[in-house]
Amino acid sequence: MLLPYELRNQWYLIDQVILLLLLAGFLVGIVRQPEVFDDLQEFEEAEKANTRASNEQALSLFTEIDGWVKREELFLKPRLALQDIASLTGLNTKDISWAINQGGQTSFADYINQLRIAKVVDLARSETHRALLDIALDAGFS
C-alpha cells in the first residue's frame, strides 16, 4: 500500500529532522569530552615537526638547484623544462618540482620567468642601445 504524496513528504521531513537532531546531539556529546581530543595535540606536534624537516630539506635542495641554474644560466634556454634540469642534475623531475614549490615558494614556470626578468633588467641597463625584444629573446623568452 502506498502513502499519499503529502504524507510521504511529511514523513521524509520528520525523518530528516530526527536524524539531524541525533547527529547534533552526538557532536555536542563528543565536544564536551575533551579527553577524546587529547591525542590530537601529539599528532599535530609530530606533523609540525615533519613539516619543518621537510621544508628544511626542500629549502636546501632548492638552494642547490637555484645556484646551479644561475651558475650555468640554464634559464637562458627557451622552452626550458623540468626534464632538462633533471637530465643535467641527475635528480628526478618530481624532486625538482617539489624543491622549487616548497623551498622556493613558487612554481617552476614563475621561478624561471623571475630569473629571465632579472636578466632582461640587467641587460637593458647595460645595453641601452639594443631593442627590448632582442634583449628578451637573449634572456630566454620565446
Side-chain angles (χ1 to χ4, degrees), residues 7-20:
L7 185 59
R8 208 174 11 173
N9 284 345
Q10 289 174 355
W11 175 253
Y12 181 74
L13 176 65
I14 292 170
D15 183 52
Q16 293 299 308
V17 168
I18 291 171
L19 182 63
L20 179 66

Side-chain angles (χ1 to χ4, degrees), residues 4-121:
Y5 181 75
E6 290 179 14
L7 185 59
R8 208 174 11 173
N9 284 345
Q10 289 174 355
W11 175 253
Y12 181 74
L13 176 65
I14 292 170
D15 183 52
Q16 293 299 308
V17 168
I18 291 171
L19 182 63
L20 179 66
L21 291 174
L22 287 172
L23 183 61
F26 178 71
L27 289 175
V28 168
I30 288 178
V31 169
R32 289 189 177 191
Q33 296 178 358
E35 63 272 1
V36 171
F37 300 106
D38 286 345
D39 293 335
L40 286 179
Q41 185 176 7
E42 293 172 16
F43 174 76
E44 288 172 351
E45 289 171 3
E47 190 67 26
K48 286 179 186 176
N50 288 341
T51 302
R52 269 184 253 127
S54 177
N55 286 343
E56 290 172 7
Q57 188 179 20
L59 184 58
S60 173
L61 184 57
F62 171 73
T63 303
E64 290 181 37
I65 292 170
D66 183 51
W68 207 77
V69 167
K70 287 177 181 176
R71 187 173 49 255
E72 300 295 323
E73 292 188 324
L74 296 175
F75 58 90
L76 296 179
K77 177 184 175 187
R79 301 189 204 308
L80 180 68
L82 278 170
Q83 185 59 41
D84 298 329
I85 295 176
S87 60
L88 293 171
T89 61
L91 298 170
N92 68 39
T93 57
K94 184 179 176 185
D95 290 340
I96 294 171
S97 178
W98 170 77
I100 292 172
N101 290 336
Q102 295 297 313
Q105 299 294 309
T106 188
S107 68
F108 175 73
D110 289 343
Y111 165 68
I112 296 300
N113 283 334
Q114 288 170 3
L115 295 174
R116 289 175 177 164
I117 290 169
K119 185 71 170 181
V120 166
V121 169

